[in-house]
Amino acid sequence: MLCFRTNVRQVFSTFEMPKSSRHPSVSLSKQQLILRHAAQVFCEKGYEGASIRDISRSSGISLAGMYYYIKSKQELLYLIQLYTFKTIVTRLEKRLKGVSDPVEKLRALVQNHLDYFLRHPVEMKVLTHEDEALEGEYRKEVLEVKRRYYSIALGIFEEMRKSGIARRLNSRVAVLSLFGMMNWVHTWHRPETDPQADSLAETMAGMFLHGVMAEGHESQELKSARIARTGIAVAG
């Protein structure tokens, strides 16, 4: 499996280990290093194709050293997924504070999601492709955070429906369609040619809103785009 082309050093420069640790008395630096290399190896080889030995070679940490910090390959995937989803949800909740307009909330959700994942494409690929790999309590705990994220998005769309902004579409289908559009950005996005997070979020939010808006409602974003198109047509 080919990994998304990126600068590994840049991708992981802001990656931090979750605060919970089996060894709170030791420095988290090695744990962070292991997680960084684990995500990269999972990205390149897939979870099933990767081994602790592969991660040991990649990180330069001995097998004995690896098992001092982590219990298993499952725990590594769990920590990567848990940290990533918790970070996304926490960032979104901060962005939504003080925002009352459901359309602006929707834009904030899209911008938050794309901004994080374009900065962390390796983790994005691991989360997308290894969604079913976690088992037992690890899976249960990550699912709880994912459900919280989905609940926030569903609540935003329900607000749009209740206020008459959005058509009476199936909320679950609408929200999961939005996530589907955002989650596969890593399969085609190229930083050197494609829009960056802010511009891409504006485009995707506009596409989604255009599809769900009730008749007579039009976001400012869509109005601006329509006016711009009209101006170009007149000028031509």
Side-chain angles (χ1 to χ4, degrees):
M1 183 183 295
L2 292 177
C3 183
F4 182 84
R5 290 178 294 134
T6 189
N7 183 317
V8 176
R9 184 175 300 173
Q10 181 180 2
V11 167
F12 293 121
S13 61
T14 58
F15 191 99
E16 295 179 2
M17 180 74 173
K19 296 302 181 184
S20 59
S21 169
R22 295 175 65 207
H23 304 283
S25 62
V26 300
S27 169
L28 291 180
S29 60
K30 278 196 176 180
Q31 293 174 324
Q32 291 171 1
L33 180 67
I34 291 169
L35 281 181
R36 293 170 186 173
H37 285 273
Q40 185 67 34
V41 171
F42 291 158
C43 177
E44 293 171 348
K45 295 191 171 187
Y47 177 76
E48 290 299 329
S51 67
I52 294 292
R53 189 175 297 277
D54 292 327
I55 299 166
S56 171
R57 289 184 186 130
S58 177
S59 64
I61 297 173
S62 68
L63 279 173
M66 292 282 294
Y67 284 112
Y68 177 76
Y69 291 101
I70 54 101
K71 291 183 287 188
S72 64
K73 191 169 71 166
Q74 269 280 298
E75 186 182 42
L76 283 172
L77 183 62
Y78 156 76
L79 289 172
I80 293 167
Q81 292 202 11
L82 184 69
Y83 172 77
T84 302
F85 279 118
K86 279 191 171 183
T87 300
I88 294 167
V89 171
T90 299
R91 283 165 41 118
L92 177 59
E93 288 172 339
K94 288 180 180 178
R95 286 176 184 242
L96 294 178
K97 282 184 178 178
V99 180
S100 57
D101 180 5
V103 173
E104 291 304 316
K105 289 182 180 180
L106 188 281
R107 288 200 188 100
L109 183 146
V110 174
Q111 206 282 332
N112 181 71
H113 192 99
L114 293 178
D115 178 67
Y116 186 86
F117 279 122
L118 288 182
R119 293 175 185 270
H120 302 83
V122 170
E123 293 94 321
M124 181 179 188
K125 184 171 182 178
V126 172
L127 264 61
T128 303
H129 286 268
E130 310 301 344
D131 185 53
E132 301 294 326
L134 282 180
E135 302 170 354
E137 288 301 313
Y138 288 155
R139 180 176 177 80
K140 182 179 178 181
E141 188 172 349
V142 171
L143 278 175
E144 286 177 1
V145 184
K146 290 168 72 173
R147 288 192 187 105
R148 191 165 120 222
Y149 189 23
Y150 168 74
S151 178
I152 293 172
L154 189 67
I156 292 172
F157 188 77
E158 289 290 350
E159 284 185 54
M160 291 175 61
R161 279 188 50 178
K162 289 176 182 177
S163 63
I165 296 172
R167 291 182 285 127
R168 298 191 65 79
L169 301 169
N170 183 301
S171 298
R172 180 176 182 275
V173 172
V175 169
L176 291 179
S177 295
L178 176 61
F179 278 122
M181 181 166 59
M182 296 189 295
N183 285 344
W184 290 94
V185 167
H186 75 277
T187 63
W188 56 263
H189 188 269
R190 295 294 177 262
E192 64 274 12
T193 57
D194 293 323
Q196 295 307 300
D198 288 346
S199 179
L200 186 59
E202 181 179 340
T203 299
M204 282 197 174
M207 291 169 63
F208 180 77
L209 291 169
H210 181 73
V212 303
M213 282 289 189
E215 187 176 351
H217 287 273
E218 187 178 28
S219 70
Q220 187 60 47
E221 182 178 86
L222 296 178
K223 286 180 181 178
S224 299
R226 177 173 51 77
I227 292 170
R229 287 197 302 270
T230 304
I232 291 171
V234 171

